[in-house]
Amino acid sequence: MMPEAAGEEAGVSEMPSPLFAANWKMHLGPSECSAFVARFAGLYGPRDDRRVVFFPPAVSIVTFVASATGREDLEVGVQDVHPEAEGAHTGAVSASMAADAGARWGLAGHSERRREFGDSDELVGEKLARLLDSGIKPILCLGETLQEREEDRLYEVLSRQIGAALRELDASRRQALTYAYEPVWAIGTGHTATPTDATEAHDILRKRIAHLTDEETAERATILYGGSVKPDNIDELLASDGVDGVLVGGASLDPESFAAICSAGSR
Ligand code: PEP
């Protein structure tokens, strides 16, 4: 949901601005990353009414930061980190290394990690803790499968995922989280949740966040929608109640299409 025009009243702090996040998954290595940033920067200028964050593969984080010099509005994050701070874990990346490379944000709980790598709710909670230990802002991804939706288990699944992931985090750490509702049946499938579906799920999440934190934290929490977001459906998704931004996979790989998405609400 786009925020009300500025209008900050005395004593009332402004709500966080909408967030547009790009999850590149296993695409765009360093060379393609730098070409993308050059092109994207020419299409999308800095604006203070929204936040834009990219999640390149870990090997492209340093390149992203270097390519985006002078464009501090284009932030960068890490797609996944190991739950331990360091050690003999061939192929893994720690949160502190990601921070050292320039990552300011981190995903945890993406459905592809849950499905392909067996990331459990508890492991996701440990990853949130490591990200926070390194000063990285986590985005906790949650969402139901098609089967769970058809079995009318949306509330149960979202409650279980968020409850388990936040269990070991104290109150101040819980306040530092951003969320992404990503129905598994909508990721990379071309099927998008309707605005009503998105609002229903975001409403469940916001109530669970209030239960696990407090009303003010829940009201201020950024909850993204993710699942086949494209330039032609961004406007209606962003206008949906409770939707504070989007997490975009496929359509973020093309600079033109992601620039169009990031410009939504202003055309
Ligand atoms: C994602 O992977 O987070 C995602 C939302 O992908 P897509 O936009 O391709 O559905």
Side-chain angles (χ1 to χ4, degrees):
M1 189 170 40
M2 298 297 280
E4 302 291 317
E8 196 181 338
E9 289 168 27
V12 180
S13 59
E14 231 178 306
M15 292 292 281
S17 48
L19 177 60
F20 296 78
N23 177 13
W24 286 354
K25 313 189 186 192
M26 201 169 71
H27 298 283
L28 308 188
S31 313
E32 289 173 319
C33 168
S34 102
F36 180 106
V37 175
R39 177 77 185 130
F40 183 83
L43 296 165
Y44 174 87
R47 335 179 22 154
D48 55 15
D49 65 342
R50 58 200 61 207
R51 298 169 284 164
V52 178
V53 183
F54 290 85
F55 292 90
V59 292
S60 296
I61 293 175
V62 168
T63 302
F64 187 99
V65 173
S67 309
T69 302
R71 285 297 304 268
E72 280 65 36
D73 60 309
L74 305 181
E75 297 187 80
V76 66
V78 61
Q79 294 177 15
D80 181 56
V81 293
H82 194 277
E84 287 178 29
E86 63 178 359
H89 304 295
T90 302
V93 169
S94 73
S96 60
M97 288 170 195
D100 189 19
R104 298 290 168 260
W105 294 81
L107 298 180
H110 192 280
S111 65
E112 286 154 14
R113 294 288 324 172
R114 294 176 190 261
R115 188 181 64 233
E116 289 183 38
F117 301 92
D119 286 16
S120 64
D121 293 326
E122 290 68 27
L123 184 69
V124 171
E126 289 174 41
K127 291 184 177 191
L128 292 178
R130 289 301 80 68
L131 290 166
L132 289 162
D133 290 343
S134 297
I136 292 180
K137 291 175 271 192
I139 299 181
L140 170 59
C141 304
L142 324 103
E144 82 289 6
T145 62
L146 184 58
Q147 186 180 346
E148 289 163 340
R149 168 161 282 261
E150 286 171 350
E151 291 169 358
D152 219 5
R153 293 171 51 208
L154 177 65
Y155 180 87
E156 174 210 316
V157 171
L158 295 181
S159 302
R160 189 205 72 227
Q161 289 177 335
I162 192 172
L166 271 60
R167 188 164 298 139
E168 302 297 330
L169 303 180
D170 65 21
S172 71
R173 301 188 124 205
R174 291 180 180 190
Q175 287 171 353
L177 303 179
T178 295
Y179 302 85
Y181 167 61
E182 298 207 296
V184 179
W185 48 270
I187 296 181
T189 59
H191 298 297
T192 314
T194 64
T196 312
D197 293 335
T199 295
E200 181 195 7
H202 285 223
D203 196 44
I204 291 172
L205 278 176
R206 215 173 288 280
K207 289 198 172 90
R208 295 316 297 161
I209 296 166
H211 175 74
L212 293 160
T213 61
D214 55 76
E215 291 290 343
E216 194 192 338
T217 302
E219 199 180 317
R220 296 182 58 81
T222 296
I223 307 180
L224 311 178
Y225 166 78
S228 298
V229 174
K230 308 229 163 3
D232 60 9
N233 59 25
I234 181 66
D235 284 333
E236 68 168 1
L237 286 165
L238 215 52
S240 310
D241 269 349
V243 174
D244 306 310
V246 285
L247 178 54
V248 187
S252 72
L253 297 174
D254 172 57
E256 273 76 12
S257 124
F258 193 56
I261 289 171
C262 293
S263 306
S266 57
R267 283 168 285 170

